[in-house]
Amino acid sequence: GRGGVRLAPGVRLDGGGKKGDVPVLVCPNGKVQLNGSALAILLLCDGSRNRDAIVAELATGPRRHTLAADIVAFLDVARARGWIIEP
């Protein structure tokens, strides 16, 4: 099927759960600390949205064009690092 952007096999998000915990991306070669915007993007990578839908959901308001460029750049990096897969 076409599907959407999703986390790669063996990759998961660990939000910590406890107050003050830094969210991390857990992947086969270790853990990566995430900032809030990175976490927001990766949380939408659940297979139900394509790249355009993720951008549209997060890039709103007066800075949306800047945000959209940042989101696309992050998705490119995440894909290059093997964190996400796109159909």
Side-chain angles (χ1 to χ4, degrees):
R2 284 178 50 233
V5 184
R6 64 185 193 276
L7 296 180
V11 175
R12 64 184 172 84
L13 294 170
D14 184 355
K18 296 191 292 295
K19 191 170 167 58
D21 275 5
V22 177
V24 293
L25 181 81
V26 182
C27 47
N29 52 359
K31 294 182 178 182
V32 182
Q33 288 194 359
L34 299 172
N35 62 27
S37 45
L39 178 65
I41 294 166
L42 289 168
L43 284 171
L44 295 182
C45 296
D46 60 2
S48 70
R49 299 169 187 82
N50 65 14
R51 179 180 281 238
D52 290 342
I54 291 170
V55 170
E57 189 149 336
L58 292 174
T60 58
R63 287 186 58 239
R64 66 182 171 275
H65 297 299
T66 307
L67 288 169
D70 289 345
I71 293 162
V72 167
F74 178 82
L75 288 169
D76 285 342
V77 169
R79 186 178 58 190
R81 292 184 181 173
W83 300 347
I84 59 171
I85 49 179
E86 295 186 65

